[in-house]
Amino acid sequence: MADTKSSVFNVKDLNLWYGDNQALYDINMDIKENDVTAIIGPSGCGKSTYVKTLNRMVETVPVVKTSGEIEYRGKNIFDKNYLVEDLRTKVGMVFQKPNPFPKSIYENIVYGPKIHGIKDKKTLDQIVEKSLKGAALWDEVKDRLHENAYGLSGGQQQRVCIARCLAIEPDVILMDEPTSALDPISTLKVEELIQELKKDYSIVIVTHNMQQAARISDKTAFFLSGELVEYTDTNTLFSTPSDKRTEDYITGRFG
Amino acid sequence: MALINKDTVSNKMSGRILKNKIAKVIFFIATIIGLLFLGALAYRILTQGLGSLDMDFLTGFTSQSPDRAGIKAGVIGSLWLMSVTAPVTLIIGVATAIYLEEYAKRGRFTRFIQINLQNLAGVPSIVFGLLGLTIFVYIFKTGEIVLAGGLTLGLLVLPVIVVAAQESIRSVPNELREASYGMGATKWQTVRRIVLPAAIPGILTGGILALSRAIGETAPLLLVGAATAIFTLPSGIFDPYTAMPIQIYSWTKAPQPEFEYVASAGIIVLLVILLLLNSIAVFIRNKFSKRL
Amino acid sequence: MDSSKNKQDGLSVSERIEKNKQSNSSTAFVEKLVPKLLLMCATLSVLVTIGILYTLLSETFTFFSEVSVIEFFTSTHWNPWRDSYGILSLISGTLLITVTAMIIAIPLGVASAIFLSEYASDKVRRFLKPILEVLAGIPTVVYGFFALTFVTPMLEKIIPGLSFFNALSAGIVVGIMIVPMVASLTEDAMGAVPNVLREGAMALGATRLETTIKVVIPAALSGIIASFALAISRAIGETMIVAIAAGATPKFSFDPTQSIQTMTGYIVQVSTGDVSYGSTIYYSIYAVGTTLFVFTLIMNLLAQYISRRFREEY
């Protein structure tokens, strides 16, 4: 596949420490537009830390230090003047466990648009419908938009979180093991949804499930002990890995 | 079709971030106000009180004339009060906590006792004074003596000790109990030899904090008849008494303005004693928390 | 280990344990006695409540055999030395103190809680929290002294016509005293809000402020409101600060610059004066005490109801 697509993220020599423990070592990685990029690796390999660095959510842990650069659309996100709120508006995130707010489904979706200054009721209604449709949830919840989101099943809650993310029309969606807390049927629905979403969004997904990475991604990156071991087309990585450690991992010799 | 106008969103961004920064400063200032108040209080009381604080003040009785007034009767009286309050409240409080945590079934009665304790903790201290006045001073006809004051304070701080003891008993790992039962120990043996020793630092810390609350209490003692002016020391729990906060109160109310300095000196003594008690509590907590 | 070493009188350890068990009937007795003793102690706290209720009600009953209930609850004149007992003046004094205290305690307490829970770094929090706790541990007589000798003179410079004893100064200081309580209960409630909700909001580009106001506070609301109810109860029952700094002139008025008297202040005034046991004035402190008790009990129950009924589930 020829790389004619433009880059969303350009990661250069990224290192990251939690206090004195280094968690990421010299990561260099190009993430392309409208790709689904999967990040795989054994637990504790830094894959979750890595994806949370892309929208600087990792900084909610106070002892985190970084070096190197991450360029998002050509601008270094670690730059002093770069507004982290601005970054997160464009780079949305879906978390490991569904985390809807303890509010109605409707309020969950309009939270983002509202804080960004959209108050017009008609627009908000349209946003809710569009986002829920985008998250393949509209038909299931359209009659109970004003009920508490906690009354939904886990899979539906996770799709509310995806809809909440779509509502501010991001450019990139980061997903941190979005199906790890879900049952197989909900997992399938979310996977189908990701296939739909890649038409409009660039997606970076962390998964502990290699089959999932193989099913849904265009490119796959394999992390081990904080290092990026291999990053290439998903088909290539799973059929002919170039690194011995990748091969060991995908053939199930460890992890 | 985009429903969100990206330009508007970016334009609003800097305003929102500014709001956040301003809010942070406001929240910080609000937090600091308490600190400033504490600083002003400490400064004021030290500058006013240190001048009157000498050996004569510590070893003298109160007096009509400000330069001869002393706090001896108050300090000794407060110590006598604690000699009643501490054992009574510790024994009953810890026993209640053991019962609730180790013996009681999780039923209506237990819940009732818990809710009752919660409500007792919210009863104003002066109402405990009314209780002590009727029950001890009049019904049991103790008169206005150390015993009545000490018991009243003991009932007042009982909920504090129960809650602290419950928390520290609850934090003893269940594995320890199981290990003891596993060797054929009975329930009381387990509680006495395993649970209580492990919970004692927490219980002591809570107990000291409860006592420091009791030592600073004024209102209930006014009701159960602590004397404001007294010129003999109590020699037992059946004697009349005064207490530090009572003396400070009477100096505050005294007509001569010079008593302000005497009151300040008294406050210094009271606060130093509270500080000592609290340091002991912190010391116990630190010393034992390392072991667990 | 050589088992013969453990033998005494030709018995092994297990045989001796067995023998002890048979001879030691006191163990079984203790096992039965202890729970009963403990239960007795636990019941004592219930007896205290019963004692309070009995004391308050029986003496109040005596009081109302001498004074009309209707006068007590509707008259606005309180002058026991001239036989007028209208508790509304004491209630208005209490309300004045409570409202002033809440105007100080709620904003400062909530703002401190937000700062400590959402903004402050661990280091700053570890420094500031103990200071707030010290503030909570200072005896109220000290606060009263400070209100009278420092806060009032300071306010006199700003507000001309402020009387020497006044509700404003006492109310402000009661408020400051309650700040640590509101702050720590509110912080607990906010701390119980799971971090994933904060992350959810911030991942949408929300600032700290937007996360706090629109996600954390709504999620913690019941705990926060409950802390207000407890704070109100505390202000209603506060005694020494008002007895020292607010004055002893019962009046049905809502002017905070004037000398007033609260319910607690009245009880102190009577108990430190020369009132003989069994006089109407003596019984009046129980009637006032009962009213005070009912007010604080309602606020405490309200707090418990709010935090139980609206307990948030995340």
Side-chain angles (χ1 to χ4, degrees):
Chain A
M1 197 170 12
D3 265 343
T4 51
K5 294 173 177 175
S6 59
S7 294
V8 191
F9 281 108
N10 208 336
V11 181
K12 296 175 187 164
D13 300 324
L14 175 70
N15 286 281
L16 183 141
W17 294 264
Y18 287 113
D20 294 329
N21 299 326
Q22 189 159 4
L24 295 175
Y25 295 85
D26 296 320
I27 311 289
N28 284 284
M29 192 170 167
D30 239 7
I31 295 172
K32 300 287 180 193
E33 203 170 36
N34 292 73
D35 266 357
V36 174
T37 308
I39 318 266
I40 61 169
S43 340
C45 67
K47 56 189 193 298
S48 217
T49 301
Y50 175 65
V51 78
K52 282 186 172 161
T53 313
L54 295 178
N55 67 344
R56 289 176 56 185
M57 278 306 284
V58 76
E59 288 169 18
T60 52
V61 181
V63 293
V64 160
K65 280 184 310 233
T66 52
S67 75
E69 282 186 8
I70 297 179
E71 279 182 358
Y72 165 68
R73 299 277 182 197
K75 277 189 194 150
N76 182 9
I77 64 168
F78 294 128
D79 197 281
K80 249 187 160 178
N81 299 321
Y82 205 108
L83 298 176
V84 67
E85 287 83 1
D86 193 28
L87 173 69
R88 291 172 189 163
T89 309
K90 289 169 187 144
V91 182
M93 181 163 220
V94 177
F95 295 81
Q96 196 164 354
K97 256 181 72 187
N99 61 346
F101 303 129
K103 298 168 184 271
S104 71
I105 298 168
Y106 185 92
E107 283 298 323
N108 262 283
I109 311 295
V110 300
Y111 176 84
K114 269 187 176 169
I115 59 166
H116 290 293
I118 293 161
K119 296 197 173 77
D120 170 44
K121 176 88 172 79
K122 229 184 96 194
T123 317
L124 289 176
D125 287 346
Q126 285 174 317
I127 289 174
V128 169
E129 181 170 346
K130 185 183 161 202
S131 314
L132 284 172
K133 278 182 176 158
L137 192 60
W138 175 251
D139 293 328
E140 288 164 63
V141 301
K142 64 180 175 207
D143 300 321
R144 43 176 175 149
L145 289 177
H146 295 283
E147 284 173 27
N148 197 304
Y150 281 28
L152 301 175
S153 73
Q156 289 172 322
Q157 285 188 14
Q158 192 61 300
R159 279 179 286 148
V160 167
C161 294
I162 293 173
R164 184 174 71 187
C165 177
L166 299 182
I168 52 171
E169 298 178 354
D171 176 27
V172 185
I173 302 176
L174 308 176
M175 297 185 168
D176 184 6
E177 303 198 26
T179 61
S180 68
L182 304 184
D183 61 81
I185 294 172
S186 306
T187 300
L188 187 69
K189 280 203 167 158
V190 172
E191 283 186 11
E192 284 169 2
L193 178 57
I194 291 170
Q195 292 302 318
E196 276 304 303
L197 292 174
K198 69 175 272 198
K199 290 174 196 156
D200 300 311
Y201 306 92
S202 317
I203 294 172
V204 182
I205 178 168
V206 170
T207 175
H208 62 279
N209 179 333
M210 279 179 281
Q211 286 76 25
Q212 184 171 59
R215 277 195 300 270
I216 60 174
S217 71
D218 303 303
K219 291 200 156 199
T220 299
F222 171 59
F223 274 66
L224 185 65
S225 310
E227 282 179 63
L228 175 57
V229 175
E230 193 164 354
Y231 173 47
T232 180
D233 289 340
T234 300
N235 291 335
T236 319
L237 187 125
F238 282 101
S239 56
T240 50
S242 60
D243 194 294
K244 178 79 172 57
R245 290 170 291 174
T246 316
E247 195 184 333
D248 286 348
Y249 182 68
I250 59 175
T251 52
R253 264 175 230 149
F254 69 90
Chain B
M1 170 197 69
L3 292 166
I4 297 207
N5 185 335
K6 304 276 175 192
D7 291 339
T8 340
V9 169
S10 327
N11 289 343
K12 293 207 165 158
M13 195 73 72
S14 58
R16 289 168 46 216
I17 286 162
L18 182 67
K19 258 193 217 163
N20 180 47
K21 281 192 180 137
I22 294 171
K24 180 174 178 174
V25 173
I26 291 173
F27 294 142
F28 177 69
I29 291 171
T31 316
I32 290 296
I33 286 179
L35 195 145
L36 291 178
F37 188 91
L38 194 67
L41 194 150
Y43 175 77
R44 174 86 178 173
I45 282 166
L46 284 176
T47 51
Q48 276 197 335
L50 280 179
S52 312
L53 187 66
D54 49 24
M55 260 341 253
D56 288 346
F57 179 76
L58 294 175
T59 58
F61 288 101
T62 189
S63 161
Q64 300 281 30
S65 95
D67 46 316
R68 277 192 285 153
I71 199 167
K72 180 174 155 194
V75 176
I76 304 292
S78 285
L79 290 178
W80 272 112
L81 282 173
M82 290 309 115
S83 78
V84 175
T85 305
V88 167
T89 192
L90 259 179
I91 291 170
I92 296 174
V94 173
T96 304
I98 294 175
Y99 179 77
L100 290 175
E101 288 301 315
E102 300 285 329
Y103 283 91
K105 293 184 185 67
R106 305 264 153 245
R108 247 191 223 163
F109 181 66
T110 322
R111 243 175 71 94
F112 172 68
I113 294 186
Q114 292 278 21
I115 290 176
N116 179 56
L117 278 166
Q118 220 175 338
N119 280 313
L120 270 186
V123 172
S125 62
I126 197 160
V127 172
F128 279 91
L130 290 171
L131 172 78
L133 176 64
T134 315
I135 305 280
F136 302 129
V137 179
Y138 289 123
I139 294 184
F140 287 114
K141 300 210 167 39
T142 60
E144 297 167 340
I145 58 168
V146 171
L147 183 65
L151 287 176
T152 306
L153 291 181
L155 298 183
L156 174 68
V157 296
L158 186 63
V160 182
I161 292 215
V162 176
V163 170
Q166 273 187 286
E167 272 171 17
S168 74
I169 289 174
R170 211 174 299 152
S171 69
V172 176
N174 238 338
E175 291 78 20
L176 292 185
R177 293 184 184 84
E178 282 161 5
S180 171
Y181 289 136
M183 299 174 77
T186 62
K187 183 137 200 167
W188 176 239
Q189 283 169 335
T190 306
V191 169
R192 195 164 63 97
R193 289 164 199 264
I194 305 295
V195 178
L196 275 186
I200 220 83
I203 294 175
L204 280 183
T205 311
I208 292 171
L209 293 180
L211 283 193
S212 59
R213 159 112 194 263
I215 263 190
E217 273 295 339
T218 320
L221 293 181
L222 288 173
L223 279 153
V224 294
T228 47
I230 195 168
F231 301 96
T232 52
L233 295 177
S235 54
I237 57 171
F238 299 105
D239 287 340
Y241 65 101
T242 187
M244 284 183 281
I246 300 287
Q247 290 206 295
I248 293 164
Y249 173 64
S250 71
W251 290 329
T252 306
K253 283 289 197 183
Q256 300 97 309
E258 291 82 13
F259 269 111
E260 213 177 299
Y261 303 108
V262 182
S264 291
I267 288 172
I268 295 175
V269 175
L270 176 62
L271 291 183
V272 165
I273 289 176
L274 287 178
L275 205 64
L276 274 176
L277 278 173
N278 281 284
S279 321
I280 296 173
V282 170
F283 175 75
I284 292 177
R285 189 162 53 194
N286 291 345
K287 172 148 191 179
F288 286 91
S289 65
K290 279 175 205 142
R291 265 197 0 206
L292 279 178
Chain C
M1 206 195 292
D2 181 9
S3 68
S4 66
K5 268 192 183 165
N6 289 331
K7 289 196 176 186
Q8 258 174 13
D9 315 330
L11 293 173
S12 73
V13 171
S14 61
E15 284 163 338
R16 281 167 60 205
I17 290 177
E18 202 52 42
K19 197 176 158 221
N20 282 347
K21 263 190 189 159
Q22 285 157 4
S23 67
N24 205 350
S25 64
S26 70
T27 310
F29 178 68
V30 168
E31 284 302 317
K32 276 197 182 132
L33 182 69
V34 163
K36 295 199 173 77
L37 287 176
L38 294 176
L39 176 62
M40 267 170 56
C41 290
T43 319
L44 187 90
S45 64
V46 180
L47 286 182
V48 174
T49 307
I50 295 172
I52 289 176
L53 291 175
Y54 167 77
T55 306
L56 291 177
L57 292 179
S58 70
E59 310 289 54
T60 302
F61 195 73
T62 316
F63 174 76
F64 282 126
S65 67
E66 292 164 27
V67 173
S68 140
V69 182
I70 295 164
E71 186 206 329
F72 186 75
F73 285 113
T74 57
S75 158
T76 55
H77 288 283
W78 183 270
N79 190 346
W81 288 268
R82 290 179 189 281
D83 283 323
S84 56
Y85 293 96
I87 200 174
L88 286 181
S89 348
L90 295 184
I91 290 180
S92 80
T94 302
L95 276 181
L96 204 49
I97 294 290
T98 307
V99 170
T100 315
M102 289 306 116
I103 290 173
I104 299 287
I106 289 179
L108 286 187
V110 172
S112 310
I114 292 175
F115 183 75
L116 291 174
S117 154
E118 307 295 318
Y119 283 92
S121 67
D122 270 0
K123 225 172 163 184
V124 173
R125 183 177 21 236
R126 266 202 297 271
F127 173 71
L128 286 177
K129 265 200 92 163
I131 294 178
L132 276 177
E133 277 162 20
V134 168
L135 215 48
I138 292 178
T140 54
V141 69
V142 178
Y143 277 109
F145 173 80
F146 192 67
L148 186 69
T149 63
F150 183 76
V151 179
T152 300
M154 217 168 70
L155 290 173
E156 268 171 342
K157 286 184 195 142
I158 312 166
I159 307 167
L162 187 76
S163 79
F164 181 60
F165 295 110
N166 63 80
L168 186 62
S169 165
I172 290 173
V173 175
V174 172
I176 296 275
M177 182 196 77
I178 292 175
V179 164
M181 178 183 166
V182 175
S184 100
L185 291 173
T186 300
E187 203 202 333
D188 287 350
M190 292 172 71
V193 175
N195 246 330
V196 292
L197 294 184
R198 291 183 182 84
E199 288 176 354
M202 288 199 297
L204 293 169
T207 61
R208 272 276 167 203
L209 181 66
E210 289 153 355
T211 309
T212 305
I213 304 271
K214 294 196 179 125
V215 175
V216 180
I217 288 184
L221 200 60
S222 67
I224 298 175
I225 304 280
S227 86
F228 296 170
L230 286 177
I232 291 172
S233 163
R234 184 78 180 275
I236 293 173
E238 171 44 39
T239 308
M240 295 319 294
I241 300 174
V242 294
I244 293 172
T249 18
K251 45 173 94 95
F252 188 73
S253 130
F254 292 96
D255 176 2
T257 64
Q258 294 305 305
S259 168
I260 50 113
Q261 187 164 47
T262 65
M263 293 188 271
T264 53
Y266 172 71
I267 300 176
V268 166
Q269 187 195 7
V270 171
S271 68
T272 52
D274 291 319
V275 171
S276 53
Y277 173 64
S279 64
T280 310
I281 292 185
Y282 169 81
Y283 288 118
S284 74
I285 62 176
Y286 290 88
V288 173
T290 306
T291 318
L292 172 70
F293 178 77
V294 169
F295 271 88
T296 55
L297 184 69
I298 288 173
M299 295 319 294
N300 289 336
L301 292 176
L302 188 69
Q304 288 165 29
Y305 173 78
I306 294 168
S307 54
R308 203 164 303 148
R309 174 73 179 72
F310 301 100
R311 180 167 298 159
E312 308 291 343
E313 284 173 28
Y314 308 106

